[in-house]
């Protein structure tokens, strides 16, 4: 009986498609839910009221979060400088997790934080896969 190759271990394309989907969904969701808002506040010059979880001040903390959640997510979605961007996002969500845990927030708040943290740790460890600008640029530079 012949089985579909997609259902067997012989099909290799699933890893790259899976990494692309994880990168795309986590990146777009974070960018839409948090990144665009932070970047628009920074670019508009609005007053920033934010927490100071690492003791550097509210404004620098907001700029760091805006860079991670706004700029790094663009890199993650495109698969460009992926490990650098996901490492920054992982650090960002470690700080967010620590803040929410020390504030005594429950699982309803922590659920999304865990999703983002684990997603970005996985992507830091695995890299972006073949469906990425990183792969395309590295492959192209090896040809030249």
């Amino acid at each position: 009986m012949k089985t579909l190759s997609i259902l067997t271990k012989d099909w290799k394309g699933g890893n790259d498609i899976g990494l692309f989907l994880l990168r795309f969904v986590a990146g777009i969701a974070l960018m839409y839910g948090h990144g665009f808002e932070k970047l628009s506040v920074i670019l508009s010059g609005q007053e920033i009221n934010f927490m100071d979880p690492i003791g550097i001040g509210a404004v620098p903390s907001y700029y760091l979060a805006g860079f991670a959640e706004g700029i790094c997510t663009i890199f993650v979605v495109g698969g460009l400088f992926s490990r650098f961007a996901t490492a920054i996002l992982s650090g960002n969500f470690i700080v967010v997790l620590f803040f929410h845990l020390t504030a005594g927030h429950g699982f309803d708040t922590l659920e999304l934080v865990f999703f983002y943290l684990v997603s970005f740790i996985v992507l830091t460890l695995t890299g972006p896969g073949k469906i990425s600008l990183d792969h395309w640029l590295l492959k192209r530079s090896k040809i030249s």
Side-chain angles (χ1 to χ4, degrees), residues 54-109:
I54 56 176
I56 61 171
V59 174
S61 293
Y62 193 84
Y63 275 68
L64 287 175
F67 173 74
E69 297 173 12
I71 304 299
C72 287
T73 54
I74 295 169
F75 290 129
V76 170
V77 169
L80 183 62
F81 310 120
S82 300
R83 284 198 162 130
F84 173 74
T86 55
I88 288 175
L89 284 160
S90 296
N92 180 64
F93 279 99
I94 288 169
V95 171
V96 172
L97 178 65
F98 181 75
F99 172 78
H100 285 296
L101 285 173
T102 57
H105 295 148
F107 185 73
D108 56 332
T109 302

Side-chain angles (χ1 to χ4, degrees), residues 103-117:
H105 295 148
F107 185 73
D108 56 332
T109 302
L110 296 173
E111 180 179 14
L112 191 56
V113 175
F114 279 125
F115 167 75
Y116 285 131
L117 177 59

Side-chain angles (χ1 to χ4, degrees), residues 45-56:
Q46 294 177 29
E47 182 181 351
I48 294 172
N49 295 314
F50 197 63
M51 58 188 170
D52 183 17
I54 56 176
I56 61 171

